[in-house]
Amino acid sequence: MAKDTGKREAADPADAPESGWEARANPPWYRPRFTVPHGRRTPPDEETLARAIGWDGVIEGLRMALDPVVGIHSGRTLGVEAVMDNAVALGYASTHDLLDAAFDSSDGSDPLRAQNRLLDIETAAHQAAVRLFAALPDNPALKLFLNLDSRLLANADRIVAGLRASLSDHGIAPTSVVLTISERMPFVNVEALCDGAPGADAAHEDLERLLATLRGLSGRLALADFGAGSASLPLLTLTRPDFVKLDRFFVQAQARDRGRRLALQGLVNLAQPLGTLVIAEGVETVEQYQTCRQAGCEYLQGPLAGPRVTAAQDLPRTYEGIRSLSEIDHRRVGNDAALIAAQTEYMAPITMGTAMAEVFECFRQAKDQTFLPAVDAADEPVGIIREADLKEYTYSLYGKDLLSNRALGRTLDGFVVRAPVADVTTPAEKILDVFSASGGAECVLITRDRKYMGFLSASSLLKVISEKNLAMARDQNPLSRLPGNTMINEYIFEALHTTDRPSTLVYLDFDNFKPFNDTYGYRQGDRAITLFAELLRKALPREDVFVGHVGGDDFFVGFRDFDPDHVVHLIGDLIERFRRDVESFYDEEARRTGFIVARDREGVERHLPLLTASAAVIEIPRGHSTRSADEIAGLIARYKKKAKESASKIAAARLDDGAPADPTGADAPRPDPVRA
């Protein structure tokens, strides 16, 4: 391999050497990466360091840290990811830089030597991580996520054997470990695995052997940098990981980018029906937390949860900030946990490692059950065991004996089928989406703080959805079929407690509705209300917009992440369209003159203008300090009056500002929101 010049181009696998490590060890599905496609480092500093301490010095100086993985609903620590913490101190720009340099350390004459330098680094990192994890007093209740460079997969047997020995030396159960493969380096040649490709069957067998080797350590596997790496979707279906860690590209800054939010939601929807749990990487703000939680992510990593720790005593078991955010979300958007728990059916699970004879006995005693849940030693769901998969052994003369003999028959692991998993606090609609996308799964396994709680069958899940819809229907306005005051109040509560995302609240009501109602009757009044509700549905965007009906001729609209000027424009168009459309409800004389003769609220007969609507627009900016719904109500009352007096029928204000935008001139049809 040519010596590193600092500027790299990705190598084509077709240009790989015909002999040496690449040709000897690589199965057809493997796609090695020989170069790094971006400028990684400053060569003089690195070369100086390498001459000074050498790779042995780098290995000896490695220091590991633990990056917490936290439950997005509970704030409890699922586990820790072991990460190299001092690459910069060792003279490298980043951990990736260090690993790339180790891989590129050969002069090209012996590719195995280059790989062994990287293997030495990875082995030392794993051993240091296990030592640090062993110092945690309650490590049996935690998971240790260990990263495995994809360029070392040809050494999977050796790495797993070394890890098993290291774990044994420190008294750590292998089931505590989750091996994590990053997609940063492309390593799967998807074309070689396609049906009909030359050697496709052999390629699949080689890949299955690799996955069996990796899962042989703990039964758990994770994919990191999911969505931004190479062949993400094929890898998801080929490896069926227990966890995927979403690349931070989809997490950071996504709250202000609707395209990324949709992609984030799509990736979660792809993973969960396969029974894969989703971890959001790099969560820094409350805004990002809320978006990831709404998308359905189960866990998070990043500064919002807490910093990396290098000492066992510094790792919290519960992150109070995350727990508090989850409680606020539950209060603000409603909590389906009670409905879900009421319909969740408990069935005693089978623990991994149970003898097959006991499994048969469980099915014999529960004759009406077609499957049994399976959990690991920590009582976390692994999947289900289907009775149908055991039938060929049940009805075979020596089938049960074969399964009961561990040396001859298949073990329980071979019969576990993945099933979708959801926390009891997950919104019912999200669970339904996961179940529907799972393609005929028997159930959804329900957990509470990762622990198995029971399962929801299709009929039970439909009951949950039905009861929730019934509760929502009770709150709907019977005339407009729009959400009523309960959901409106919840929306306002959410807007006031979400300081990292701007909102705009709009209160609309009719002008001169009483004289119109008195003159033309309540049926025409109801028609006007129904017309306005329909215009709200059609004229406003569907995404990030909430529409509610306070009652009578009063309506509410909430906008999330909209520019206030754009909101004013949308509301102005809506008011103008209503003014034009509602004219058809009047008689010809009223339409011609533009007024009706009727009594006003004081009982005085007057010429009154035709029906229209006015709007108070309240901007809630990022970082606001207001938490009081009463203050919002006061602003709305004040600016509603100003809106009715203005020519544009709109008055806008910015929370914490207090100065209204109140144009009254005929040449100023719409106000601009007042800026701080």
Side-chain angles (χ1 to χ4, degrees), residues 395-441:
Y395 297 113
S396 172
L397 183 60
Y398 301 108
K400 291 184 180 180
D401 293 333
L402 284 172
L403 286 179
S404 299
N405 190 323
R406 291 179 179 271
L408 299 176
R410 294 173 63 184
T411 62
L412 180 61
D413 298 31
F415 290 98
V416 174
V417 177
R418 301 290 290 278
V421 179
D423 190 88
V424 69
T425 58
T426 305
E429 292 82 4
K430 181 64 180 176
I431 298 178
L432 180 62
D433 290 342
V434 170
F435 184 78
S436 301
S438 62

Side-chain angles (χ1 to χ4, degrees), residues 73 82 197 204 208 280 386 401 473 518 624 629 675:
H73 299 289
H204 275 283
E208 287 173 5
R386 298 186 295 206
D401 293 333
D518 292 343
H624 70 90
R675 305 295 185 190

Side-chain angles (χ1 to χ4, degrees), residues 346-376:
Y346 180 80
M347 183 191 303
I350 298 292
T351 303
M352 299 301 292
T354 300
M356 291 304 301
E358 293 184 38
V359 177
F360 277 110
E361 180 61 20
C362 289
F363 275 115
R364 189 188 67 80
Q365 292 182 5
K367 292 183 173 59
D368 58 337
Q369 295 296 338
T370 59
F371 66 90
L372 291 173
V375 300
D376 63 14

Side-chain angles (χ1 to χ4, degrees), residues 1-4 17 19-22 34 102-115:
M1 188 170 73
K3 190 173 182 179
D4 176 33
S19 60
W21 174 81
E22 290 85 352
F34 298 101
F103 183 75
D104 294 341
S105 60
S106 168
D107 61 5
S109 61
D110 184 1
L112 186 61
R113 178 186 164 208
Q115 190 204 16

Side-chain angles (χ1 to χ4, degrees), residues 531-605:
L531 169 67
F532 193 76
E534 193 62 26
L535 288 175
L536 285 169
R537 291 189 183 95
K538 291 180 177 179
L540 299 179
R542 291 176 179 264
E543 186 183 353
D544 294 328
V545 176
F546 170 84
V547 178
H549 189 173
V550 178
D553 62 329
D554 292 5
F555 292 83
F556 173 88
V557 184
F559 295 83
R560 180 64 54 81
D561 295 323
F562 274 74
D563 181 81
D565 292 336
H566 185 44
V567 171
V568 169
H569 178 79
L570 290 171
I571 296 300
D573 285 345
L574 173 73
I575 290 173
E576 176 59 22
R577 185 171 175 182
F578 175 67
R579 184 194 65 77
R580 294 196 310 266
D581 291 355
V582 82
E583 282 186 0
S584 64
F585 292 6
Y586 287 87
D587 57 50
E588 184 176 350
E589 176 67 15
R591 292 198 301 271
R592 184 179 63 81
T593 60
F595 63 84
I596 62 174
V597 178
R599 295 184 182 277
D600 62 15
R601 292 184 178 275
E602 286 73 35
V604 179
E605 192 172 85

Side-chain angles (χ1 to χ4, degrees), residues 407-478:
L408 299 176
R410 294 173 63 184
T411 62
L412 180 61
D413 298 31
F415 290 98
V416 174
V417 177
R418 301 290 290 278
V421 179
D423 190 88
V424 69
T425 58
T426 305
E429 292 82 4
K430 181 64 180 176
I431 298 178
L432 180 62
D433 290 342
V434 170
F435 184 78
S436 301
S438 62
E442 285 81 354
C443 66
V444 177
L445 298 176
I446 302 299
T447 62
R448 188 188 295 277
D449 295 335
R450 308 190 335 252
K451 306 300 183 184
Y452 169 76
M453 180 178 168
F455 70 93
L456 281 177
S457 63
S459 59
S460 298
L461 183 53
L462 289 177
K463 287 180 182 178
V464 171
I465 298 296
S466 177
E467 291 185 19
K468 183 173 182 180
N469 288 340
L470 183 61
M472 292 176 63
R474 294 192 189 104
D475 184 53
Q476 280 184 350
N477 185 283

